[in-house]
Amino acid sequence: MTAHCPEDPSLERHFKGHRDAVTSVDFSLNTKQLASGSMDSCLMVWHMKPQSRAYRFAGHKDAVTCVNFSPSGHLLASGSRDKTVRIWVPNVKGESTVFRAHTATVRSVHFCSDGQSFVTASDDKTVKVWSTHRQKFLFSLSQHINWVRCAKFSPDGRLIVSASDDKTVKLWDKTSRECVHSYCEHGGFVTYVDFHPSGTCIAAAGMDNTVKVWDVRTHRLLQHYQLHSAAVNALSFHPSGNYLVTASSDSTLKILDLMEGRLLYTLHGHQGPATTVAFSRTGEYFASGGSDEQVMVWKSNFDVVDYGEVLRKQRPPATRASSSGTLPEVDPLVPPGRGRSQESMQSQSQEPVSMPQSLTSTLEHIVGQLDVLTQTVSILEQRLTLTEDKLKQCLENQQLIMQRTTP
């Protein structure tokens, strides 16, 4: 079998349009759109196709702290310092529906894998779960004793993980609404948390400059990385589960090989803190944002096993981690059913899927259309309410005029 030679990540594009620090980035399902939120109170939806104009969505009355595309890519959620969540249809009209229940800044928003619900985290110390299509608040998870910075669904939607300024990461059962376990190993505020694609592990980033990985079944600490020289603000798993990218206030992005438990690359692109980072759904790209107001898109290149052979081109060099550098002693992260060799990973990717691609595409299209129709009905209802209010006002004004003119 031909051996694959990974290449260094390369900076593909950078987008300028925000007028303040970028707080969050997320790719759509098909990687055709990239959303970003900013302290400038706006969302931008960038088109990966060259020469396409970006959409700027204004609606929030304060900083936008988080963005997340629905699994179908037909809806886009955002959270804000104005205490609200908005669900947008990411097209040129940029229409949105407002969700209210939090009493302080909304720090995080994340759709469940079925798109039917989403979870939010807030400075009001709660995690809240909402219905997407019924457009209503469902329930709160309320055991944190300080601001909650991040909350995510597990890939199967059964668990929720949250990270807080109370220095804990909490694992919740969505059905029972009970806290299953609290992870207390961080020495400072926990800024970000996410599930491994297998659903068996979680990774959390902290103000103590560390990244920690736990097994959610045994609750054992599997890996501990202390590679950044400042707070780690965000992280993202590669879809293969073999790599993790981190963004830090030391202005760098770092790519970790979880199979070997070592640092692969350090990327220098942002001037000032790197505040957010996210892989695309295929892992072919990852995007980052920073306090320099820029959004950068990088080509992964290093994990060619997961998306085919990469054409060898001359690219701007990345800083490769030195093998002689001091690295943490960690367990190799090998989720169930995943081998460590390239051959086993390749054969796994070639296994037949249980559902035909055409049927999957059709179902995704139907779900997407349902998303758009639900959103359109909501917007029409809002407009109808406004029209009714205006009609009532006009009738009241007319009655006043008639009363004044009557002798």
Side-chain angles (χ1 to χ4, degrees), residues 375-392:
Q375 202 71 7
T376 304
V377 169
S378 171
I379 291 161
L380 287 171
E381 285 174 350
Q382 289 177 359
R383 288 179 176 174
L384 184 61
T385 303
L386 286 171
T387 305
E388 286 175 352
D389 291 344
K390 286 178 181 176
L391 281 169
K392 286 177 183 175

Side-chain angles (χ1 to χ4, degrees), residues 38-43 57-65 78-86 88 96-100 105:
S38 168
M39 297 296 286
D40 65 9
S41 305
C42 289
L43 282 80
F57 296 159
H60 284 294
K61 295 176 173 62
D62 208 332
V64 176
T65 55
S78 62
S80 170
R81 206 156 60 184
D82 67 10
K83 309 175 188 177
T84 70
V85 176
R86 282 179 180 261
W88 310 77
S96 67
T97 302
V98 185
F99 292 72
R100 292 182 175 89
T105 298

Side-chain angles (χ1 to χ4, degrees), residues 23 74 375:
T23 58
H74 292 276
Q375 202 71 7

